[in-house]
Amino acid sequence: MASADLLRREEEFYASLFDSAKGGDAVKSRGQMIERKIEVLEDMAAKVSNRRSRRWLNDRLLIELVPRLHVEEIKGLFAPPPWGEELPVSAFCRTSVGEWDAFRSIDMDVEARLVQQMKQSSTKQKNHLDRDELVALNSWHHIDRQTREAIKRNFLPDLLEIYEERVRTFIEDTSGKDMLVLNVQDPFQRLLLHGVCEFYNVSSTTTTTVRDGKLWKTTTIKKRSGTGAPSRITLVSFLRMKKKSH
């Protein structure tokens, strides 16, 4: 009780000092009053020797240095739960208890095996993709340089896909059909067709005849002895992959 009474008397004493510091013409605004209070506090803090008094002065000095807070700023001090607005429910909280417990209580050995299987599956998939890319790259280099440049310079994926579908169907046909005949009259489109044939390792020959007094181009496509199963990666897919990588 005596300690509390002593603190009360000290506060009244310091408050009287501030009241006296506010009088007269020296203080004409709130900003000047605050500056004056801080000066008085700093001066007193340098003179007093009592630890409790110095602590009280320091607290008062900090209070004077802090500006007045608005309502929104005060609310911001208590924004985190449980005082402020509720945070959105996380995915873990929305998950049913049984499913979450099964995930949380998984055996460490089982977890290690699952992780190892995932790594092995990812490695196999990557190696498999790398092999397919290598096959497509080799097939791409079967096409002569001039045709490759023409395909890249004027990329027509829709037309190339049409040619690829016809050639792939011909290669995969097991009925004994020995040739595929296409009539492509546009020179550039015929160049693309020859490029597709070179990509899939089939021969293509264009002959010219006269039909109704006009020149008629016929392209004959045949399987070679070394023609195998079509590449998993089509020519269009390969070109798109190369475009993204650059």
Side-chain angles (χ1 to χ4, degrees):
M1 183 66 69
S3 177
D5 184 61
L6 179 60
L7 286 174
R8 181 181 58 78
R9 288 201 304 269
E10 288 179 350
E11 291 181 2
E12 291 176 353
F13 168 72
Y14 294 128
S16 65
L17 287 177
F18 290 127
D19 292 338
S20 63
K22 291 189 295 183
D25 297 333
V27 179
K28 297 182 179 180
S29 66
R30 172 174 170 74
Q32 291 175 337
M33 181 182 68
I34 293 175
E35 290 180 3
R36 177 58 181 158
K37 283 185 176 182
I38 293 174
E39 290 176 0
V40 173
L41 285 170
E42 290 177 342
D43 183 63
M44 293 177 62
K47 295 178 180 179
V48 297
S49 58
N50 185 280
R51 180 183 300 176
R52 183 171 53 187
S53 299
R54 292 179 63 86
R55 185 167 59 248
W56 185 88
L57 286 170
N58 290 333
D59 291 341
R60 290 296 300 267
L61 180 60
L62 291 175
I63 291 172
E64 293 297 336
L65 289 173
V66 176
R68 291 180 180 271
L69 298 178
H70 299 292
V71 175
E72 294 299 326
E73 293 174 333
I74 295 174
K75 288 174 61 178
L77 296 175
F78 303 95
W83 300 285
E85 298 178 357
E86 295 184 0
L87 293 176
V89 181
S90 66
F92 291 116
C93 294
R94 291 195 297 268
T95 305
S96 62
V97 177
E99 294 177 356
W100 172 237
D101 285 343
F103 173 78
R104 183 177 56 186
S105 59
I106 186 172
D107 183 79
M108 294 181 64
D109 294 334
V110 175
E111 180 184 0
R113 286 196 297 270
L114 287 174
V115 172
Q116 185 64 26
Q117 290 175 2
M118 291 174 63
K119 289 182 178 179
Q120 292 176 353
S121 176
S122 176
T123 302
K124 289 180 180 178
Q125 184 177 3
K126 185 177 184 301
N127 292 337
H128 184 67
L129 182 60
D130 289 343
R131 286 195 298 270
D132 291 340
E133 288 180 356
L134 183 59
V135 171
L137 181 62
N138 290 334
S139 300
W140 170 249
H141 286 293
H142 288 162
I143 305 173
D144 67 90
R145 186 178 62 82
Q146 182 181 358
T147 305
R148 290 202 306 265
E149 293 300 324
I151 293 174
K152 291 190 294 183
R153 184 170 57 252
N154 192 8
F155 184 46
L156 301 175
D158 294 337
L159 181 60
L160 287 172
E161 285 176 345
I162 293 173
Y163 290 161
E164 283 197 276
E165 183 180 357
R166 296 295 300 273
V167 172
R168 290 174 71 94
T169 302
F170 168 66
I171 294 174
E172 294 172 344
D173 182 78
T174 58
S175 63
K177 184 178 179 180
D178 61 350
M179 70 175 60
L180 171 67
V181 178
L182 298 177
N183 299 308
V184 180
Q185 304 307 307
D186 183 82
F188 180 74
Q189 294 180 7
R190 197 163 53 248
L191 178 65
L192 297 183
L193 175 60
H194 286 297
V196 170
C197 292
E198 290 173 348
F199 183 83
Y200 287 101
N201 194 27
V202 293
S203 66
S204 58
T205 305
T206 298
T207 58
T208 305
T209 58
V210 178
R211 180 181 296 185
D212 298 331
K214 296 181 180 180
L215 296 178
W216 186 258
K217 301 290 185 178
T218 301
T219 301
T220 303
I221 301 170
K222 295 182 180 181
K223 299 177 185 177
R224 292 171 176 164
S225 58
T227 301
S231 168
R232 292 176 180 269
I233 300 177
T234 65
L235 174 58
V236 173
S237 299
F238 175 75
L239 292 174
R240 284 173 173 161
M241 290 168 58
K242 283 177 61 68
K243 188 175 182 180
K244 287 182 179 178
S245 63
H246 294 303

